């Protein structure tokens, strides 16, 4: 809203300082500061409200140290993250941008699923919460919306670099040529980025066109299926990671900040040309959303670090995972998720391995055996005697290393 207001003031009246809102970096900085202040200042009020409504966490006895002390801690704290993200975005972002619209839909959609789950757990006295099939149905629904929009919407395009030989000819003719002239025209595409290969692009259409080139018109089906899988996997991964104070919020802040770097360079034709990556027009506006989201996560950590004054609940964890997945798909960096979201992946795999091995050994030996002392993975380390603050800090360090490796993939080919 403020973006459009100051844009109008600049164009009509040359209002002093109004032009600042035309700069992406300025709006991103303001968005982060505003979201940080909202989450810290109003977060306390939301926590008090949750306490008043007796929205406390019911702790299952898992035999973990310090577990009993957490009983009654307010949950549904994801509301803090959602509000602290959406308010700066609505004020400072270009709301008509299709990527911003998609992210707002994602936030509300996944937030609603998580809220219903937390509500059922607390107020319906059902510890299982929303049934798994309904959660998956919601994730699939979002995947269809996101995949179809990114495939069919007219504003979702990209530009690729011209062939090397053609670039050499143009540079020989004019060494000071403008970067955008080294790119092809905007086009609809199902291409994405893959790491560690020279020509670091992969076209989803290739998965079916090898059968027959005529099948390219059905590439949208593959793209939507990929979006569904990624959104479901990442949101569930974030949900599993939310198990000890500060782990999910801190890890997610590192991931989202890294995605912000990718969004900014992908939407900047000069850096896209320098880094030899696909240029995605309009996608740089996501930087505003990411700045607000990072500020909200850091502000939430003010109350969520050990000992936590509030838990995010599924309201927060499912929303965080959904947002991360949609950003990655939008900037065509979803194949970097196994590296960047390595913590989420490890948590997911630890559960899959634990359950699968238990069922296998029970069938073969008549007694179920376990690989880990407890899953998800962070509980294994708790059972091993590590304090949760140490576990969280070390997971953050690993997350930072994975983020650096992910950024480095821009040049390692």
């Amino acid at each position: 809203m403020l973006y459009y207001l100051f844009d109008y003031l600049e164009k009509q009246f040359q209002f002093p300082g109004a032009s600042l809102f035309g700069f992406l970096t300025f709006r991103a900085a303001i968005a982060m500061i505003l979201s940080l202040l909202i989450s810290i200042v109003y977060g306390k009020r939301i926590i008090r409200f949750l306490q008043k409504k007796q929205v406390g966490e019911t702790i299952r006895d898992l035999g973990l140290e310090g577990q009993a002390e957490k009983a009654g801690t307010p949950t549904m704290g994801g509301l803090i993250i959602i509000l602290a993200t959406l308010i700066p975005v609505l004020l400072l972002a270009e709301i008509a941008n299709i990527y911003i619209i998609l992210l707002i839909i994602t936030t509300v959609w996944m937030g609603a699923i998580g809220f219903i789950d937390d509500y059922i757990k607390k107020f319906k006295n059902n510890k299982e919460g929303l049934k798994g099939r309904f959660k998956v149905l919601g994730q699939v629904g979002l995947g269809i919306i996101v995949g179809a929009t990114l495939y069919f919407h007219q504003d979702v395009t990209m530009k690729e670099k011209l062939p090397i030989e053609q670039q050499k000819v143009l540079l020989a003719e004019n060494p000071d040529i403008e970067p955008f002239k080294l790119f092809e025209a905007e086009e609809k595409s199902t291409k994405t980025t893959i790491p560690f290969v020279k020509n670091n692009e992969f076209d989803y259409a290739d998965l079916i066109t090898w059968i027959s080139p005529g099948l390219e018109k059905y590439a949208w089906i593959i793209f939507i299926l990929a979006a569904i899988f990624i959104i479901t996997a990442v949101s569930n991964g974030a949900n599993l990671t939310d198990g000890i104070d500060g782990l999910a919020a801190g890890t997610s802040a590192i991931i989202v900040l890294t995605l912000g770097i990718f969004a900014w360079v992908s939407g900047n034709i000069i850096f896209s040309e320098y880094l030899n990556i696909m240029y995605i027009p309009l996608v740089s506006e996501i930087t505003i959303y990411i700045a607000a989201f990072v500020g909200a996560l850091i502000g939430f950590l003010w109350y969520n670090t050990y000992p936590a004054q509030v838990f995010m609940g599924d309201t927060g964890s499912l929303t965080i995972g959904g947002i991360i997945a949609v950003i990655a798909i939008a900037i065509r960096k979803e194949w970097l998720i196994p590296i960047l979201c390595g913590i989420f992946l490890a948590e997911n795999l630890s559960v899959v391995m634990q359950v699968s091995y238990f069922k296998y050994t029970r069938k073969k030996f008549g007694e179920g055996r376990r690989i880990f002392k407890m899953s998800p993975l962070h509980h294994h380390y708790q059972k091993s005697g590590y304090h949760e603050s140490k576990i969280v800090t070390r997971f953050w360090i690993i997350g930072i290393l994975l983020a650096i490796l992910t950024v480095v993939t821009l040049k390692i080919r």
Side-chain angles (χ1 to χ4, degrees), residues 5 36 78 89 129 156 184 207 212 223-224 249 251 279 317 363 367-368 390 406:
L5 173 62
L36 188 59
V89 167
V156 180
E184 297 178 353
L207 293 174
S212 170
F223 187 77
I224 290 174
T251 303
Y279 167 59
S317 59
K363 183 177 180 180
E367 179 186 17
K390 179 171 284 190
T406 305

Side-chain angles (χ1 to χ4, degrees), residues 66-83:
Q67 184 183 18
E69 289 81 358
K70 298 188 179 187
T73 302
T75 187
M76 291 189 182
L79 291 171
I80 299 171
I81 299 172
I82 292 171
L83 292 174

Side-chain angles (χ1 to χ4, degrees), residues 76 79 108-124 126 128-131 134-135 314-316 318-319:
M76 291 189 182
L79 291 171
V108 174
W109 186 289
M110 295 304 294
I113 294 172
F115 181 84
I116 292 170
D117 183 55
D118 288 335
Y119 183 87
I120 292 173
K121 287 177 181 176
K122 179 58 188 175
F123 294 103
K124 299 298 181 181
N126 184 343
E128 298 300 319
L130 185 65
K131 292 187 181 298
F134 293 118
K135 285 185 185 179
D314 283 11
T315 306
L318 288 176
T319 304

Side-chain angles (χ1 to χ4, degrees), residues 338-367:
I339 304 172
L340 180 59
C341 300
I343 300 296
F344 293 175
L345 179 63
E347 299 278 27
N348 253 331
L349 287 178
S350 68
V351 173
V352 172
M353 291 168 62
Q354 186 87 322
V355 173
S356 300
Y357 188 70
F358 185 86
K359 288 181 178 179
Y360 169 75
T361 53
R362 185 173 60 184
K363 183 177 180 180
K364 186 171 183 179
F365 304 109
E367 179 186 17

Side-chain angles (χ1 to χ4, degrees), residues 180-314:
F180 72 89
K181 293 183 178 179
L182 297 175
F183 285 80
E184 297 178 353
E186 288 184 33
E187 62 176 358
K188 302 287 294 179
S189 177
T190 53
K191 289 185 178 180
T192 189
T193 304
I194 54 176
F196 306 123
V197 295
K198 186 173 183 180
N199 298 315
N200 67 331
E201 292 174 1
F202 171 78
D203 196 335
Y204 285 106
D206 292 343
L207 293 174
I208 54 175
T209 52
W210 66 272
I211 301 172
S212 170
L215 293 175
E216 185 175 2
K217 60 184 178 181
Y218 299 109
W220 62 273
I221 298 175
I222 304 298
F223 187 77
I224 290 174
L225 288 174
I228 291 171
F229 173 77
I230 293 163
I231 289 171
T232 303
V234 179
S235 59
N236 286 331
N239 188 234
L240 289 172
T241 305
D242 179 34
I244 51 180
D245 300 350
L247 179 58
T251 303
S252 298
I254 295 166
I255 292 169
V256 176
L257 191 59
T258 307
L259 288 174
I261 296 172
F262 284 119
W264 190 68
V265 298
S266 296
N268 186 300
I269 197 163
I270 295 175
F271 283 100
S272 297
E273 189 275 330
Y274 174 73
L275 294 169
N276 195 27
I277 60 176
M278 63 178 74
Y279 167 59
I280 309 174
L282 305 180
V283 83
S284 59
E285 194 68 19
I286 290 180
T287 308
I288 307 299
Y289 189 98
I290 289 173
F293 191 38
V294 171
L297 288 168
I298 295 173
F300 179 75
L301 274 174
W302 185 276
Y303 300 108
N304 186 239
T305 48
Y306 181 85
Q309 295 173 256
V310 65
F311 299 139
M312 67 172 65
D314 283 11

